[in-house]
Amino acid sequence: WPTTVKGCLCGCCWALRPRYKRLVDNIFPEDPEDGLVKANMEKLTFFALSAPEKLDRIAAYLSERLTRELNRHRYGYVCIAMEALEQLLLACHCQSINLLVESFLSTLRLLLEADKPHLHILATNSFVKFANIEEDTPSYHRSYDFFVAKIRVSGIRGLQGVVRKTVDNELLVNIWEPRHMEQIVPALLVNLQKHTHTESESPAEQTEVCFRELLGRAAYGHINNAVRPVLMHLDSHSLWEGQSFAVQCFQIIMYSIQSQHSHLVIQQLLGHLDANSRSPASVRAGIVRVLSEAAVIEATGSVGPTVLEVFNTLLRQLRQSVDYELTGYYDTAGKHRTTSTEEKTLQDAVIKTIGSFANTLPVYQRSEVMMFIMGKIPVPGIYPALGFEGSRMIQVMLLKSLLQVSERYESNNLLTALPSSFLEPLLSFTLMEDPEIRLLVLSILTSLIDRHHNAAKLNAARLSFDVSLLELKENRSSRQDNLFMRKHAQRLYRHVYLACKEENSGQNHYQALFSLLAILSVELANEEMVVDLIRLVLALQELALSNQECLSVFNRCGVHSLCAAFLNLLSQLGPPPPLHQHVAQVIERRQKDAPHLLPADLFCDKPRLPEGELKVDEVLLFNQSNICEALTGSSYSSQVERFNTPYTPQLTGTSSRMKEDRLSKRKSIGDVVSLQIDMDPQFCPDTQEVSV
């Protein structure tokens, strides 16, 4: 019993408490509104200076009192405890200040973790006072990361509170005014840029939440004012070139704003791209990449009235980039140099973005976009300053843009996908001398006709493939398909034939021609068309044998290989088995005696070609008589008589033959387009094509 009484007396009797605790207790008044008891604070300070070894105990007890008052929500006493800690810090300029600092920092942490803005402000102000103290000896074991992060988060939360209070209250200040947005948005971007998402309470995460909330509350008329500071910030800090942050910013913007307002962001980006037309290629490419990402997100809405504006701006950037690449400068004064590599990076980004935008559009608008791009392809005289090479570069880039659009274009009606107004000028490019242009045209045609995405399977196939194992997607030709082929088949065949006469064709050209013929067969073939395609192959075989054509040995072998690969495919798509047997026999003989007439040995890194003049024995050729015999007695019997008329791509009439002869003399796309129009029967009522 006496022990118990003694314990109670030690714990409860104030006079028996340690002196430093009594001094600390004396600084707190009965009423917190009276503030710190200054006389008693002076006694505490004197005691601390006289006995510095007690500093850690004094600080620990002050921290304990502050925690107790904080838990009881007695915030007046919390403020008094913080004031006492500050005065002790200011008074103790000695090595023993480190004894105080640890308790001081832990106390600040408590205040910052409390969900009270005024306590955050109290802690922040105390930390600033502490930062201004010059210590005699530094401490290397302290870490202030937590305080920097917490203070930053507190500021962001305060800004978020301002936004919530003022954004919908017209009686208060209009937060959407440019002068306010130019303060709020950059402050958010700085926090977003310098920190990563390491934890749920990180400044970056709080910043993103605040930024999204701000953008989510933006009405139609506020979007421009909210986005403009973002553009200015990215400009002034050269952040377009480091594409990840700029993309991140606009991903947040596009996902946060109301979808019906997204086209306003696109318009601002387009305007900013125009405004930076004379900036380095890396800056222009960065803006274009952001546009591309924004277009993908904006797909749920609609580019709407900005469709042509989007493509016009992007095509204008291609035109300017070509100009800069040719001159070597991205300004008219010739002071700022650029390189082909930098400009090509921009051009690739623009072409990719054209595809991204086109893929967000409905099918009918994609058709309009393709017509729009086709109309922008230059003919001589439009850009005289660029010359022939500049015009060629633009032609290549615009055709690459068309390819981007066509690769994901899906239409059940080829009459809509390839109207005459689009097909005619496109086919004209197959007559160009430039091999890159011809290759692009073949790829565009294939992608537009390949509605069931079979091209990838066919390109990977070899001569030994079994069509039944390729799992090709086939549909019976529709009425619209038959109308399309009735209208355009002979024109397509003619351009395939003429493309095989080009002397500068390479491996890629023959593979592209195979893909085009294969897709035509899989997508559109009927019995009449199969016979026409076989007649075309036989004509190409004669072309490769003819001494009148100035084709190299490689070109002749390329045409023979094309014929073999295509007939091997076609003979498995419906004709009777004897046809495939004949094709397989010829291929087998070639594998044994003339592998240079087959794709495997010709279209490789080191093609094996015969020395001297190419000689091809009859047994290595596909025989018309054997083909007719194979088709006789089947559903193809009614078509067999057509083999008696060899396929020819020429037109009847002297004037038409003269125009055909001019093909080898064309020098520009302008010549080819005019020639194509002249040759087209619909423009020449006095001529007609030979029935095929």
Side-chain angles (χ1 to χ4, degrees), residues 45-205:
T45 304
F46 180 77
F47 176 79
L49 292 173
S50 302
E53 71 278 3
K54 302 286 188 181
L55 267 176
D56 57 338
R57 300 181 186 181
I58 294 171
Y61 185 58
L62 267 173
S63 179
E64 180 186 330
R65 282 292 305 260
L66 184 145
T67 304
R68 188 191 315 157
E69 305 299 348
L70 185 62
N71 291 335
R72 295 174 179 176
H73 306 294
R74 297 164 68 174
Y75 301 120
Y77 287 125
V78 171
C79 294
I80 291 173
M82 279 307 304
E83 185 179 352
L85 277 171
E86 291 170 11
Q87 290 194 24
L88 286 174
L89 282 169
L90 291 171
C92 299
H93 288 272
C94 61
Q95 186 173 358
S96 57
I97 192 177
N98 287 325
L99 300 174
L100 261 177
V101 169
E102 293 304 318
S103 293
F104 172 74
L105 293 179
S106 64
T107 303
L108 289 185
R109 185 164 189 158
L110 284 173
L111 297 180
L112 290 171
E113 288 176 342
D115 192 20
K116 297 293 179 183
H118 69 279
L119 295 181
H120 298 168
I121 295 171
L122 176 64
T124 303
N125 291 337
S126 292
F127 192 86
V128 171
K129 292 175 184 177
F130 166 68
N132 291 327
I133 297 174
E134 295 184 6
E135 300 182 47
D136 293 339
T137 56
S139 177
Y140 298 101
H141 66 278
R142 295 186 207 145
S143 174
Y144 302 113
D145 292 347
F146 169 80
F147 300 99
V148 174
K150 282 306 237 178
I151 291 169
R152 199 178 277 276
V153 167
S154 299
I156 294 166
R157 284 175 173 168
L159 185 57
Q160 190 172 12
V162 171
V163 170
R164 289 176 179 173
K165 284 290 185 183
T166 59
V167 74
D168 295 323
N169 195 334
E170 297 179 0
L171 298 178
L172 297 176
V173 63
N174 183 2
I175 201 173
W176 299 109
E177 289 181 1
R179 60 193 179 95
H180 296 307
M181 285 290 102
E182 288 168 11
Q183 291 178 324
I184 294 173
V185 173
L188 293 172
L189 295 179
V190 167
N191 283 281
L192 191 63
Q193 179 188 351
K194 292 185 178 180
H195 294 269
T196 56
H197 298 261
T198 55
E199 55 185 60
S200 60
E201 291 295 315
S202 69
E205 181 160 330

Side-chain angles (χ1 to χ4, degrees), residues 386-400:
L386 293 176
F388 176 79
E389 178 59 18
S391 295
R392 189 200 72 83
M393 290 169 65
I394 293 180
Q395 290 162 9
V396 168
M397 281 186 282
L398 293 185
L399 286 171
K400 286 182 178 179

Side-chain angles (χ1 to χ4, degrees), residues 426-459:
L426 182 64
L427 284 174
S428 298
F429 283 98
T430 63
L431 307 179
M432 287 290 291
E433 287 179 320
D434 189 283
E436 185 176 9
I437 289 177
R438 297 200 309 272
L439 188 59
L440 285 168
V441 174
L442 292 172
S443 299
I444 292 168
L445 281 170
T446 302
S447 62
L448 288 172
I449 298 172
D450 182 23
R451 294 168 296 181
H452 296 92
H453 309 292
N454 290 313
K457 299 175 184 178
L458 293 168
N459 285 340

